[in-house]
Amino acid sequence: MTGEGPFEYGVDGPKVIVVGVDGSETSLHAGAYAWGLARRGGARLIIVHVESIAALSTLTAGGAAVMREAGEAVAEDLRRELERAAERADVRYEFVTEQGDPFTVISRVADEARADAVIVGASAQAGHRLIGSVAVKLVRTGRWPVTVVP
């Protein structure tokens, strides 16, 4: 490349970004990174919060209800933070919240939106090194570029 053509700033980045947030520190870092990327590139940002109901929570009376309430509280906190951030910066975003498996929901949303990029936080759970985290599963799927934020 000789550099003879005109310099194009900010026209080749992703136009649809999907980011998974669950309230963890790394997912909030991923959300902030995705927000900035969307703001700078004029991209559409889809923020996905998945309320994962663990199988063990159904073994105790009311366990699933408690898990659901906690997930809803996290989603509401995230929604308020997004509204505050949107007041300071012009970002086109959607907030999607669903119950289910995080990998399945994020993959489906990314496919339906024809995402150019998927961004997630790195897992801090030791067991994920053995069985694989949501980030590893998304990378292995290979349908979109995936950025894993520490």
Side-chain angles (χ1 to χ4, degrees), residues 29-91:
H29 291 171
Y33 175 76
W35 185 272
L37 192 61
R39 181 183 54 77
R40 289 185 301 276
R44 177 176 156 225
L45 179 62
I46 303 171
I47 301 140
V48 181
H49 175 260
V50 181
E51 297 173 16
S52 180
I53 305 299
L56 292 177
S57 69
T58 61
L59 297 177
T60 60
V66 170
M67 293 292 288
R68 190 173 306 110
E69 287 174 14
E72 290 170 358
V74 169
E76 189 55 38
D77 287 345
L78 291 169
R79 184 175 278 110
R80 279 194 298 273
E81 286 298 318
L82 288 169
E83 290 169 359
R84 278 192 284 253
E87 291 172 0
R88 296 185 303 270
D90 186 26
V91 173

Side-chain angles (χ1 to χ4, degrees), residues 30-148:
Y33 175 76
W35 185 272
L37 192 61
R39 181 183 54 77
R40 289 185 301 276
R44 177 176 156 225
L45 179 62
I46 303 171
I47 301 140
V48 181
H49 175 260
V50 181
E51 297 173 16
S52 180
I53 305 299
L56 292 177
S57 69
T58 61
L59 297 177
T60 60
V66 170
M67 293 292 288
R68 190 173 306 110
E69 287 174 14
E72 290 170 358
V74 169
E76 189 55 38
D77 287 345
L78 291 169
R79 184 175 278 110
R80 279 194 298 273
E81 286 298 318
L82 288 169
E83 290 169 359
R84 278 192 284 253
E87 291 172 0
R88 296 185 303 270
D90 186 26
V91 173
R92 293 179 301 141
Y93 77 91
E94 299 171 44
F95 183 62
V96 176
T97 183
E98 293 186 22
Q99 290 182 350
D101 171 60
F103 166 75
T104 303
V105 174
I106 292 169
S107 296
R108 181 182 48 74
V109 170
D111 283 342
E112 289 174 357
R114 302 188 67 188
D116 298 311
V118 175
I119 301 172
V120 292
S123 175
Q125 296 181 8
H128 285 171
R129 291 190 182 104
L130 300 174
I131 60 173
S133 65
V134 172
V136 169
K137 291 176 186 175
L138 288 167
V139 169
R140 287 186 179 155
T141 298
R143 293 195 297 258
W144 340 262
V146 178
T147 301
V148 182

